[in-house]
Structure formats: structure tokens, C-alpha cells
Amino acid sequence: MNVNFKLFLLAFISIVTVACNTKQKEKENFINEIVEFATAQTELMLTALGEPTGNNYPRRIREDGTVGTTGMYDWTPGFFPGSLWYLYELTGDDKWREEATKWTETLEPLKTFTSHHDLGFMMYCSYGNAIRLAPKPEYKDILIQSAGSLSTRFDERVGAIKSWNRFRPWGDTTVYHFPVIIDNMMNLEMLFYASRVTGNPQYYDISVKHSDATLKNQFREDFGTWHVVCYDPESPTVLGKFTSQGYSDNSTWARGQAWAIYGYTMTYRETGDKRYLDVATKAADFFLKHLPEDLIPVWDFNVGMEGFTPGERSNAVVFKEKLRDASAAAIVCSALFELGQLANNQSYIDTAIEMLRSLASPAYRAELGTNANFLLMHSVGALPQGYEIDTPLVYADYYFLEALVRYRNLNK
Ligand code: GLY
């Protein structure tokens, strides 16, 4: 090697090293600034809530600007403890572990709950993170019992877990008794966990059967998703396909699509079945293709379009504004960090980083002490039902923090 070439090589290596260090520093600063904000904002939230009572889990903002809470039997109580666990993971500060533990352990009575399918969200976002970050022997039993409770909603004849006990479409009078919603994919992670730690394949088998039924019936040719698929309660026959929280029965609800992407990414991680990876990537490509420039989706991809008509009782008949849904973006952002790694697709990871930056920008991130002390603004919970319209939502914050953890852990 001649001297000139050696010098050139050294200069080149130095420039690349400086550029990498600068990029790494910039990433650290970005994460630290969000963590500083999130911890300060969540301290205010804890002060507003007081001690956990089982009846004061934060969910949304009220009209008077204060925090709106729910009881533990609603579908969202796992997210706030989960966010506290992520703050513990991001800071290592025992204070967050103690708060997370309190808000998690208050949920123990849910382990026998069987009235709807959301037990995975309720128990795995709380106890699932608890057992990962600060395990206690009883957490394992609580999660296994919760998996047993969720499994009672599986029906072998249908090959799926029943989401809700009944469903009436917005434009119809028929009542269906075996509705399955795309969101249900998210509840399977707890079942996979239970099979892993017990060695009992029952929960794994249920998850695979449910994933297969959803794969067969809940996707359209373009890999957009149906929100609600109603089965005959005694067979795998599909009686109808509808929406509950989307714009119209045949539209693609952004958060439903987000659950599909996250759900099948997780199902691929747990099973290694390439069909699930394939559907996760196709669902992700559909989602990304329909995003506006700032990467935060309109709450439903078909609002106001020709050929998409809300059912007559839906609030979407009168509410046409193309509001964004930060919660759908946060879920997909987190999912893309994992999907990018599993699919070896750097462009998903680059997009996840851009989405995270968009969510963390002043357009979507609240200022300290505002927004009822939630982190993100501008989500849509249940527009057809007429509530949670352009609001903070606890699960948007949860997946935002999860995405931040995943970003921090990249290349570790
Ligand atoms: N059922 C979960 C959701 O509203 O996204």
C-alpha cells in the first residue's frame, strides 16, 4: 500500500467515525429529550390520578381538559402500567418500577375475566412487561391463568377466539353472536407466552388457528383489512364483514390495519411461519402507501371517498373531517422497528425512525402540563360511536414509548 493511499484511507476512516459518532449523539439527544419530557409529564399524570384504585386507569381527555379514566374491566387498563414499565426501562430509575408495580398489581383480579377478548392488552402490556423487567414468581401464574381465561373464548368449531359477545352493524338490524375483530391478533402474544412457559401447546395451537382464520377472512385482495368478521357460532362460515370503529363496512380503518401489522409481526416472531411474515409486510406496505407526508394516517383510509358509505346509525355519516390518528401511527411505528429487523428490511426501520420523529414533533407531542398530562395529541378512538374524536389516548402513549425503547435498542 503506498503512503498516499494509506493517508487517504486513514482520513476516510476518521470522517466516517466522526459522522457515526455525530449520528449516535444526535440519536441519544433525541431520545433523552423525549424521556425527560415523558417522565415529567407522567409525574403530573400520577399526581392527578392519585393511588391506583382499580377504577382510575387513564384513557382519554374529558371536555373540561382533565383526565378521563376507566375501570379495570374496560379494554385499556394495561397500557398505563405498561407505559410506566417503559419509563423504568428507559431510565433505570426505581421510582418508575415502584409506580409500575402498583398500577400493575391492582389488575390481578382480571386473571379470571372472560367477558371480552381484550385480556391480552389488559394483562400482557402490564404483567408481561412486569415479568420481563422486575419478575416475581406470582406474575407467571397470573399470566398463565389469564391465558386460560382468554382461551375460554376460543371455539374449536369456528377456529377463532370470539372478540365480543354480540355485534350489530351500523346499517343493519341483525345481531351477530360470534364477531371477531382484527384487533384480536394483539391478544395472542399472551397465549404464545403461556405455551412457552408451561410447555402446554394448547395456547399456541389456539393462537395459530385464530391467526389462520384471520388471515383467511379478514384481509382483502389489496391487504387492507376488514374490521369485524361475523361467524356462524357453530362453524367457520362467515356470515358478514363489517366495521365498528372504521368509516364504512368496506373501508380500511387505520388502527385496525395497525393491529394487523403489529399482530402478524408478533405471530411471525413466535412461530417462524413465513406466511405471517408475508401478510405483515403486505399489510405494512398497504399502510405506508396510504400515508400523508408527515406519516401520520387519517383515522380511516377511505373517509369521504366514493364507494364508501357509513351505516345509517354511524356518527361518520355526519362527521367527515379527515382527522389524523396518532395512535395508529404509534402502533405501526413500534411494529416497523421489529418487522424491519425480522424481514431484514432497512427501509421499514428508516420509516419507523421518521414516524417516531413526526410523533415527537410539536404537531403531535403535547407541551408539558397540557393535554391532561398524556404524551401525544390527536388520536381517534371511536368516531362512529361519537366519542374520543381528536383526543389523547393512553394506548398511543404506550406504543410511542415502546417504539422509543425499540429505537434505543437498535444495533445494541
Ligand atoms: N378495540 C381496540 C381499539 O379500539 O383499537
Side-chain angles (χ1 to χ4, degrees):
M1 214 186 288
N2 75 31
V3 177
N4 281 347
F5 185 67
K6 258 191 194 164
L7 284 174
F8 167 78
L9 206 61
L10 270 175
F12 180 75
I13 290 169
S14 313
I15 289 166
V16 170
T17 309
V18 169
C20 284
N21 287 345
T22 310
K23 216 171 151 200
Q24 188 59 28
K25 192 81 214 137
E26 200 272 326
K27 173 179 167 180
E28 272 169 35
N29 289 344
F30 171 74
I31 293 171
N32 290 343
E33 192 271 325
I34 298 174
V35 171
E36 198 179 313
F37 159 74
T39 50
Q41 186 81 332
T42 308
E43 277 182 28
L44 296 173
M45 174 68 93
L46 285 168
T47 306
L49 294 170
E51 291 297 304
T53 62
N55 215 18
N56 62 343
Y57 281 85
R59 158 87 161 257
R60 61 172 87 85
I61 198 165
R62 287 207 200 103
E63 267 181 21
D64 66 2
T66 59
V67 58
T69 56
T70 72
M72 71 164 96
Y73 295 96
D74 210 316
W75 75 277
T76 50
F79 295 116
F80 185 60
S83 291
L84 297 170
W85 284 116
Y86 286 135
L87 290 181
Y88 174 54
E89 189 167 13
L90 287 161
T91 61
D93 184 340
D94 283 344
K95 174 193 143 153
W96 295 110
R97 181 178 47 72
E98 283 155 25
E99 290 294 347
T101 302
K102 273 193 292 186
W103 285 85
T104 295
E105 291 183 354
T106 306
L107 297 180
E108 183 175 348
L110 292 177
K111 65 189 178 188
T112 56
F113 180 74
T114 57
S115 299
H116 57 69
H117 71 141
D118 287 311
L119 210 56
F121 283 120
M122 296 150 92
M123 297 304 260
Y124 206 67
C125 298
S126 52
Y127 280 97
N129 279 307
I131 204 159
R132 191 171 64 79
L133 295 168
K136 291 186 189 174
E138 61 267 32
Y139 291 171
K140 187 168 143 190
D141 295 334
I142 290 168
L143 281 167
I144 294 167
Q145 212 178 329
S146 303
S149 299
L150 176 56
S151 302
T152 64
R153 299 186 66 81
F154 178 75
D155 194 307
E156 196 67 58
R157 297 168 300 177
V158 180
I161 295 168
K162 180 160 66 171
S163 295
W164 302 321
N165 295 339
R166 61 199 297 283
F167 173 72
R168 184 183 160 200
W170 291 112
D172 197 343
T173 52
T174 314
V175 175
Y176 294 90
H177 294 280
F178 205 110
V180 174
I181 63 173
I182 188 70
D183 326 26
N184 205 339
M185 287 303 299
M186 299 296 287
N187 294 309
L188 307 182
E189 191 166 8
M190 182 169 71
L191 299 185
F192 283 121
Y193 164 85
S195 267
R196 207 166 46 242
V197 296
T198 59
N200 178 349
Q202 180 203 353
Y203 312 109
Y204 183 101
D205 292 345
I206 288 175
S207 295
V208 166
K209 283 180 182 157
H210 185 92
S211 301
D212 288 348
T214 304
L215 182 55
K216 183 169 173 221
N217 297 317
Q218 217 118 9
F219 287 87
R220 303 195 184 95
E221 264 179 28
D222 61 1
F223 290 90
T225 43
W226 299 92
H227 182 206
V228 187
V229 170
C230 294
Y231 293 87
D232 168 15
E234 293 176 8
S235 78
T237 306
V238 172
L239 301 179
K241 300 188 180 189
F242 307 98
T243 196
S244 170
Q245 279 153 278
Y247 179 72
S248 66
D249 287 336
N250 60 342
S251 71
T252 299
W253 174 46
R255 197 165 57 255
Q257 191 73 13
W259 296 138
I261 297 163
Y262 193 117
Y264 277 98
T265 300
M266 176 276 297
T267 308
Y268 172 64
R269 181 221 304 148
E270 296 294 334
T271 62
D273 186 331
K274 282 272 178 356
R275 291 176 309 135
Y276 301 149
L277 179 65
D278 186 53
V279 74
T281 55
K282 285 177 172 149
D285 293 343
F286 178 99
F287 191 96
L288 298 177
K289 199 169 82 187
H290 288 84
L291 289 181
E293 211 168 312
D294 69 359
L295 305 183
I296 312 300
V298 172
W299 71 277
D300 186 295
F301 293 116
N302 304 108
V303 177
M305 285 182 183
E306 203 175 309
F308 298 88
T309 308
E312 60 190 22
R313 290 182 304 111
S314 167
N315 182 50
V317 170
V318 291
F319 196 102
K320 298 284 181 201
E321 208 182 318
K322 294 190 175 181
L323 293 173
R324 304 302 184 82
D325 180 13
S327 77
I331 296 158
V332 171
C333 177
S334 182
L336 286 179
F337 279 116
E338 181 167 40
L339 184 58
Q341 290 177 84
L342 294 174
N344 202 13
N345 181 331
Q346 184 60 36
S347 93
Y348 285 152
I349 294 174
D350 294 341
T351 304
I353 295 170
E354 268 187 70
M355 281 175 113
L356 191 59
R357 287 182 182 275
S358 186
L359 287 167
S361 76
Y364 295 97
R365 183 162 46 123
E367 283 184 29
L368 186 64
T370 67
N371 203 37
N373 306 316
F374 289 96
L375 309 181
L376 297 182
M377 308 179 282
H378 305 313
S379 288
V380 174
L383 191 145
Q385 286 78 354
Y387 60 86
E388 294 175 347
I389 299 171
D390 196 11
T391 177
L393 286 169
V394 67
Y395 41 95
D397 290 3
Y398 172 87
Y399 289 101
F400 175 62
L401 290 176
E402 183 181 84
L404 198 63
V405 170
R406 289 180 171 187
Y407 180 38
R408 191 197 63 167
N409 291 349
L410 271 186
N411 307 325
K412 256 196 177 172

